[in-house]
Amino acid sequence: MKMQYSTSWLALSAATMMFATPAIAQQMGPTGTQGDIPQTQTQDPGSVSADAAATRSAAISGTPQATGSGEVIVTGTRIARPNLASAAPITSVTRQDIQAQAAVNVEDVLNRLPQVAPDSQQTYNDSDGRQRIKLRSLGFERTLVLIDGKRLGTQNGQDVGIIPTSLLQRVDVLTGGASSVYGSDAVAGVVNFVLRKDFKGVQLDANYNFFNHNNRDTIVSPLARAAGFGSPRGLTNDGGRADLTLTAGTGLFDDKLHLSGFVNYRKTDEIALTSRSNAGCYLTQLTPNGPLSCGLTPSSSTSGLITPQAGPNKGAQLVNNPDGSRNFVPFGPGLGNASNYFSGYAYQRPSERVNAGGFATLDLAPEAELYASGIWFRDKSFNNYPTIASGTVDVNCNNPYLSASQATTIGCAAGVGSVPVTLAYRLGENNDRPDTYINTGVRLTGGVRGKVGDAWTYDVGGVYARNHQDFTPSFRVPGTLQNAVNVGGTAANPTCVSGAAGCVPFDIFSAGNTNPALINYLFGTGTSATTGTLYDVQANVTGDLGKYGVTSPFAEQGLAIALGTEYRKDTLKSRADGAYRNALGGSDVDLSQDVVEANIEVQAPLVEHKPFAELVQLNGGYRVSKYSSNPKSFNTWKIEGVYAPVSDLTFRASFNKAQRAPTVVEIRQASNIEFAAGGAGSYNDFCAPTPIPGPDGVTYAAPLASREVCRATGLSDALYGSQSLLCSNGATPNGSAGCAVRSGGFTADPETAYTQTYGLVLKPRFVRGLVFSVDRYRIKINNSLGYNGYSYYTDGCLRSGGDQFFCQGIVRNPGDGTLFNGGYIRQGTTNYYTSVAQGWDFQGQYGVNIESVGRLDFGFNGSLTTAAGGQDSPLQPDRNCAGYYGNGCGQLIPKWSHNLRTTYTTVDKKFSASFNWRYVGSLTNANNSGDPAIGGTPERALTDYYRVAPANYFDLALNFAIAKQFSLRLIANNLFDKAAPIVPDSYNISLTRNNTIPQRYDSLGRNIAIGTTINF
């Protein structure tokens, strides 16, 4: 029998070595070439436990291990030798783990891993529908995503939703730099999705799940009801999610040609925010330790909120009386008065997706195999936003809808033809208009691979990926509101004074206006289309130089080497129609970047099977990269070591340098110069006198900043505290009031990361079936690339007492020192200082056969985060956000989290039960940290709602192998329907309006699923 090796090996970089599980598994097979995937045949859908345990054990230990299906698990390096150990920790999620979760979306699979910063696009109302991965909370741009060892697509257009969970054989996660093997982007680590591709027969996988939740009153409930918004009670079943996949495959010409394909359909029903008692309204706490209230901002009313801008009631917030009389009542909570602005937001976004694909391999000879694959997808999802007619308009005083009392209130008097008012009229809470996202794309791979003699293998191939997004928002058409408000004629026969085509008269002086014709006149849609493409061509050669005698005298295996070269090109194009541009502005974009790279990797066994040296192994790698966006080339490298004094104990370490070049979008954000008003004109120069509004007008206090701070911004002492610095007294370059903000015009250089991992693996012979590992990781990113708003510079300059790192972002007019008319505050994408992630990972696997009873398997994955944050400038202290939220600590990383799964399988493998314990550690508001670097104070300022308690979740999955061709799964996630924690002002914490942190905690309640696999 000839040897066949899988090319879905995952060669991992310096600080995190090589992948070691079936995704990157080496496979015993008939052709003698390197294959792209494990040879997964149709099998009994119930007999899964032992193979899953073997896969996890191999990943933890980083050593080769045969599984029940015949695979041999090895390290994930491009050097494909199934007999040496990995130097870095790897986490593997098996197909059986995925089925036990009843996962519909890939993000559901990954969010449970302690190493992953959870993303929750399905519970994020501002999502664009694309699922992305963030390892160690270092951002999706720093996580390289692969499918079967090849790039998923562009970083900016990344969408792992292209991958059907039912088609996954395994997901391998390695955290830490991998740039020396895979190039840029692999700074935080690599995630490799391994698909079941070499399939024979016909198989149907179906999964349907929904949420079963008992709404109990929370702290939000009485506040919502008092505001007239309501809060549900009792048991609810909602949020259905369906996932259906049909897979088929066959072998032809004595199995030399293999073809397989799949079609996947997914649909997710909407869950509204108001369907959960913890989200009846948006909870705010306006002052520390102050009372909680329902947020009415942005303020609006279904009865029409009107704020006069002239006359005796200037600035008063008034609402048309909900009883139908044409008079005003004060704005505030109450039925028909203030609207629940977020009532139309989704707790679970509605979406519908179709994925389809195919795979082919053709054995031409023992020396050559052709391979190809293709995946196509289409996803459609929505975000609902309130339909609010808002803005400042002039109201004609002879408006037929205007009663005499209303006219007097808004300032109409004899000789006054019109008065200005600010309007915020919500045209019905059931008339919210959606922003629509349609994501489509294709990913194609192909190439040839094989062997040359006994020592060399090769793989020449590439990836073409195209992601296209059509974004169709709803917006108010410019000019239409003023046309509709300026009404003539009579109340019985109103007309638009402007005579504009299609104009519909708007009665803003009565409650409950929901006229569909008016809505269609005021609001329109336009479409922006963005297309990203990846062209990636690689040529890789691996050789076993031991065949030529290049072997250590103390080792059995010789030196192995891998050589590679790669060319990649990323493009991004953005276009928009006239309606979109007229309403929202912007310009067309054409961006591109290409890179040429070359790399070498070496694996050197020094000592094998000697006393006190079962294995001593060194690995190294080096890559040089030249990006078109940067005049200089840069290099990355790795050094790794493995030492096993005995087979039971292995020490491993890796150290690498990884670099990430800016994406095409980051390059444009850094270089393209645009001016705008800071904070919509709300920001004032901190060296100007501080305006204090009062009943008798505005008075001025001393500047917020000291003279020393203002000197650091380039301001002369003579101008300190001068009213000439007030931004509201000048005009910004685009004509709006406020301090000027300049985005862009800066350099974006590659960032550099140094990653270290040190660990040990225990695999004691006297405890058969036990594997345990503990690894220390440290990732430090220098010259970090990222987006910083103008407040990064103003707040940093003020807090630091004049640190030039921050104060240089405040550029004054050289003549008068102002921040307008030539002066500005900078913001945008650029390099700043350092980012850090460090901690400990713990993994364990134990399996035991209980004679005549069955088998028990235990799998453990835990992570202790000791540092997450960085340093804002050389003079500032390190910010450590591990275990904290708020004050810029947006990573939401508990110090400790873990999963412990216990699986029982009967002797005949006809039944299995899997029980999972998920623990999510506590999070504390940074104000109570006592650490001034993250805004903490010694007195621990907050006394309530300052901490999210630890959460324990329990999941149960039952699998019945009813027949050889049919299995049934019954699953309950969050078995005990644990309620989500409540945090005020959740948008500032988790970018959600649901009063919790859905990325970290189960927020929708118990999830019940039924799934089946049928082989035909």
Side-chain angles (χ1 to χ4, degrees):
M1 181 176 69
K2 297 180 180 179
M3 302 291 292
Q4 180 185 14
Y5 295 105
S6 162
T7 62
S8 37
W9 9 267
L10 188 61
L12 295 163
S13 76
T16 30
M17 167 129 184
M18 312 157 186
F19 249 79
T21 39
I24 357 168
Q26 308 306 315
Q27 173 69 34
M28 304 298 289
T31 67
T33 64
Q34 290 187 325
D36 197 32
I37 43 95
Q39 306 297 312
T40 303
Q41 306 294 331
T42 302
Q43 56 182 297
D44 180 352
S47 58
V48 295
S49 177
D51 281 1
T55 297
R56 289 191 292 264
S57 294
I60 295 168
S61 65
T63 55
Q65 182 169 340
T67 70
S69 61
E71 296 172 354
V72 179
I73 310 305
V74 299
T75 58
T77 174
R78 293 186 187 276
I79 300 172
R81 294 198 297 182
N83 47 9
L84 291 180
S86 165
I90 298 133
T91 299
S92 186
V93 183
T94 69
R95 170 171 166 77
Q96 292 72 44
D97 297 330
I98 295 167
Q99 287 183 333
Q101 296 175 28
V104 173
N105 302 309
V106 167
E107 67 181 24
D108 294 341
V109 176
L110 297 174
N111 280 355
R112 294 189 174 191
L113 297 179
Q115 295 79 10
V116 173
D119 202 14
S120 188
Q121 294 297 314
Q122 65 185 15
T123 58
Y124 177 43
N125 194 76
D126 296 325
S127 170
D128 66 358
R130 292 183 290 195
Q131 300 173 34
R132 293 166 172 168
I133 303 171
K134 297 177 286 187
L135 291 174
R136 303 293 187 201
S137 293
L138 292 174
F140 74 88
E141 301 93 342
R142 299 186 179 106
T143 300
L144 180 59
V145 179
L146 310 174
I147 297 179
D148 295 313
K150 290 183 171 60
R151 287 178 176 253
L152 169 67
T154 67
Q155 287 297 96
N156 293 119
Q158 182 185 114
D159 182 9
V160 297
I162 190 175
I163 306 167
T165 57
S166 54
L167 207 68
L168 283 171
Q169 181 68 22
R170 190 181 67 262
V171 184
D172 292 326
V173 178
L174 186 149
T175 56
S179 294
S180 65
V181 176
Y182 280 102
S184 193
D185 314 329
V187 170
V190 178
V191 178
N192 187 38
F193 294 94
V194 184
L195 304 184
R196 298 185 301 139
K197 300 192 303 182
D198 195 0
F199 185 86
K200 289 184 178 179
V202 179
Q203 182 168 294
L204 178 68
D205 290 279
N207 176 21
Y208 179 79
N209 64 58
F210 62 93
F211 292 95
N212 170 254
H213 177 63
N214 187 18
N215 277 303
R216 301 176 178 88
D217 274 5
T218 68
I219 189 65
V220 183
S221 302
L223 297 172
R225 294 188 184 112
F229 300 156
S231 180
R233 284 193 183 115
L235 191 66
T236 182
N237 296 300
D238 56 11
R241 299 187 296 169
D243 181 21
L244 188 67
T245 304
L246 181 65
T247 308
T250 188
L252 302 172
F253 308 114
D254 295 327
D255 220 24
K256 292 185 179 298
L257 173 64
H258 192 277
L259 303 173
S260 62
F262 74 93
V263 176
N264 169 248
Y265 173 76
R266 277 181 267 168
K267 188 175 188 298
T268 299
D269 293 338
E270 181 178 7
I271 299 177
L273 277 187
T274 51
S275 68
R276 293 293 184 270
S277 59
N278 68 343
C281 68
Y282 180 56
L283 196 64
T284 65
Q285 191 172 29
L286 299 179
T287 60
N289 304 315
L292 302 176
S293 61
C294 285
L296 304 180
T297 302
S299 299
S300 64
S301 174
T302 54
S303 298
L305 171 60
I306 296 174
T307 305
Q309 298 300 305
N313 295 301
K314 179 181 178 181
Q317 289 189 305
L318 308 171
V319 171
N320 295 305
N321 197 323
D323 67 6
S325 61
R326 290 189 180 266
N327 56 66
F328 292 125
V329 296
F331 174 74
L335 186 63
N337 194 323
S339 70
N340 185 352
Y341 182 86
F342 306 107
S343 62
Y345 274 37
Y347 215 142
Q348 175 174 278
R349 301 174 69 247
S351 65
E352 190 171 21
R353 177 183 283 267
V354 177
N355 298 307
F359 314 93
T361 58
L362 175 62
D363 276 333
L364 299 178
E367 297 77 23
E369 180 188 54
L370 298 177
Y371 62 90
S373 71
I375 299 177
W376 171 89
F377 72 95
R378 183 182 189 274
D379 173 70
K380 185 176 184 179
S381 63
F382 307 91
N383 296 326
N384 285 324
Y385 293 101
T387 304
I388 298 176
S390 61
T392 299
V393 292
D394 290 325
V395 175
N396 54 307
C397 289
N398 62 350
N399 190 306
Y401 293 132
L402 187 60
S403 70
S405 65
Q406 289 174 320
T408 301
T409 301
I410 66 174
C412 285
V416 177
S418 65
V419 292
V421 302
T422 296
L423 178 68
Y425 201 128
R426 185 167 184 181
L427 296 165
E429 290 192 12
N430 296 320
N431 290 331
D432 291 356
R433 293 170 67 89
D435 286 0
T436 304
Y437 292 88
I438 299 177
N439 294 299
T440 58
V442 64
R443 179 182 183 271
L444 305 174
T445 69
V448 59
R449 60 201 168 202
K451 294 188 69 175
V452 179
D454 293 332
W456 297 92
T457 64
Y458 68 91
D459 187 339
V460 179
V463 177
Y464 167 77
R466 179 181 184 273
N467 292 76
H468 179 85
Q469 181 179 91
D470 287 322
F471 168 47
T472 305
S474 175
F475 46 74
R476 187 164 55 81
V477 179
T480 56
L481 180 60
Q482 181 63 68
N483 291 341
V485 167
N486 194 10
V487 181
T490 65
N493 187 25
T495 61
C496 291
V497 174
S498 68
C503 180
V504 177
F506 187 1
D507 179 5
I508 68 171
F509 297 108
S510 66
N513 194 328
T514 60
N515 183 356
L518 173 66
I519 295 173
N520 290 334
Y521 173 68
L522 295 177
F523 294 87
T525 60
T527 299
S528 170
T530 303
T531 304
T533 58
L534 169 70
Y535 305 86
D536 186 13
V537 180
Q538 297 184 35
N540 296 292
V541 177
T542 64
D544 183 356
L545 301 187
K547 301 292 185 181
Y548 304 104
V550 185
T551 304
S552 165
F554 306 105
E556 297 176 359
Q557 297 187 95
L559 184 73
I561 189 171
L563 302 170
T565 184
E566 183 174 359
Y567 169 79
R568 291 194 308 275
K569 182 175 183 178
D570 286 282
T571 70
L572 186 100
K573 296 182 179 180
S574 180
R575 302 287 186 270
D577 59 26
Y580 184 99
R581 289 282 183 250
N582 289 337
L584 303 177
S587 58
D588 292 348
V589 173
D590 284 281
L591 309 173
S592 68
Q593 178 177 231
D594 58 86
V595 57
V596 178
E597 300 180 300
N599 68 289
I600 181 173
E601 187 181 359
V602 176
Q603 186 183 84
L606 302 180
V607 182
E608 291 182 279
H609 313 308
K610 303 298 182 185
F612 306 106
E614 178 64 23
L615 175 65
V616 178
Q617 177 183 316
L618 291 178
N619 307 316
Y622 181 84
R623 175 178 290 253
V624 61
S625 306
K626 177 62 179 69
Y627 279 81
S628 61
S629 59
N630 197 291
K632 299 179 180 179
S633 61
F634 61 81
N635 61 75
T636 55
W637 45 262
K638 70 173 182 176
I639 301 172
E640 301 171 328
V642 178
Y643 170 53
V646 293
S647 59
D648 307 62
L649 176 64
T650 301
F651 298 95
R652 58 191 181 189
S654 65
F655 182 62
N656 75 70
K657 173 192 173 186
Q659 282 194 285
R660 181 178 77 86
T663 67
V664 291
V665 170
E666 287 175 319
I667 292 170
R668 183 177 189 273
Q669 288 175 339
S671 60
N672 190 53
I673 297 177
E674 294 178 347
F675 281 92
S682 62
Y683 178 76
N684 184 44
D685 189 340
F686 55 40
C687 296
T690 304
I692 302 175
D696 299 324
V698 177
T699 59
Y700 295 95
L704 294 175
S706 66
R707 288 181 183 273
E708 291 74 17
V709 168
C710 293
R711 282 193 207 110
T713 69
L715 185 72
S716 68
D717 285 354
L719 289 171
Y720 178 74
S722 171
Q723 290 192 22
S724 66
L725 301 177
L726 291 167
C727 291
S728 57
N729 291 347
T732 62
N734 68 349
S736 59
C739 295
V741 171
R742 191 183 89 171
S743 298
F746 314 112
T747 301
D749 292 320
E751 62 184 19
T752 303
Y754 293 95
T755 305
Q756 307 163 43
T757 61
Y758 312 94
L760 61 87
V761 180
L762 294 174
K763 193 176 180 181
R765 282 167 287 185
F766 55 85
V767 185
R768 186 180 179 88
L770 174 64
V771 179
F772 178 79
S773 70
V774 55
D775 293 275
R776 168 72 167 170
Y777 69 88
R778 184 177 187 271
I779 304 172
K780 182 179 181 182
I781 304 174
N782 295 327
N783 212 23
S784 293
L785 272 169
Y787 182 90
N788 290 311
Y790 72 89
S791 61
Y792 173 79
Y793 298 99
T794 57
D795 294 352
C797 182
L798 187 62
R799 288 198 313 265
S800 66
D803 184 349
Q804 193 57 33
F805 184 88
F806 297 106
C807 297
Q808 66 181 346
I810 301 172
V811 181
R812 297 189 176 276
N813 182 309
D816 57 19
T818 60
L819 295 179
F820 48 88
N821 292 332
Y824 59 85
I825 311 166
R826 64 179 286 181
Q827 72 175 8
T829 296
T830 186
N831 299 94
Y832 51 107
Y833 206 53
T834 64
S835 298
V836 174
Q838 61 186 36
W840 299 82
D841 284 336
F842 303 85
Q843 293 192 77
Q845 175 68 40
Y846 177 62
V848 58
N849 289 312
I850 306 173
E851 189 173 349
S852 74
V853 175
R855 176 182 174 88
L856 277 175
D857 287 290
F858 302 89
F860 179 80
N861 182 11
S863 186
L864 174 66
T865 302
T866 57
Q871 198 172 359
D872 287 342
S873 86
L875 300 180
Q876 297 301 303
D878 286 330
R879 292 171 53 85
N880 186 359
C881 288
Y884 296 104
Y885 69 86
N887 294 346
C889 288
Q891 296 96 333
L892 306 173
I893 303 174
K895 291 184 178 180
W896 174 259
S897 59
H898 74 243
N899 289 294
L900 175 60
R901 181 174 291 280
T902 303
T903 303
Y904 165 73
T905 307
T906 59
V907 174
D908 60 6
K909 300 181 180 180
K910 298 300 183 183
F911 171 77
S912 67
S914 185
F915 188 75
N916 187 42
W917 171 28
R918 292 180 281 135
Y919 177 86
V920 183
S922 65
L923 290 171
T924 301
N925 193 297
N927 286 317
N928 278 37
S929 65
D931 180 1
I934 56 175
T937 56
E939 64 271 18
R940 307 294 202 274
L942 302 179
T943 58
D944 58 358
Y945 294 98
Y946 66 88
R947 182 175 182 267
V948 177
N952 292 280
Y953 297 104
F954 300 96
D955 312 316
L956 178 64
L958 306 177
N959 186 77
F960 304 86
I962 296 174
K964 187 174 180 62
Q965 290 78 28
F966 174 58
S967 71
L968 179 68
R969 297 177 295 279
L970 301 176
I971 297 158
N973 296 309
N974 188 6
L975 181 64
F976 301 112
D977 192 25
K978 183 177 178 63
I982 293 176
V983 292
D985 300 297
S986 61
Y987 191 82
N988 298 331
I989 300 166
S990 60
L991 296 179
T992 62
R993 304 285 186 180
N994 47 31
N995 303 323
T996 189
I997 306 174
Q999 300 96 323
R1000 280 290 175 193
Y1001 304 94
D1002 287 20
S1003 58
L1004 290 169
R1006 181 190 298 112
N1007 181 255
I1008 296 176
I1010 180 170
T1012 184
T1013 298
I1014 304 173
N1015 293 316
F1016 298 95

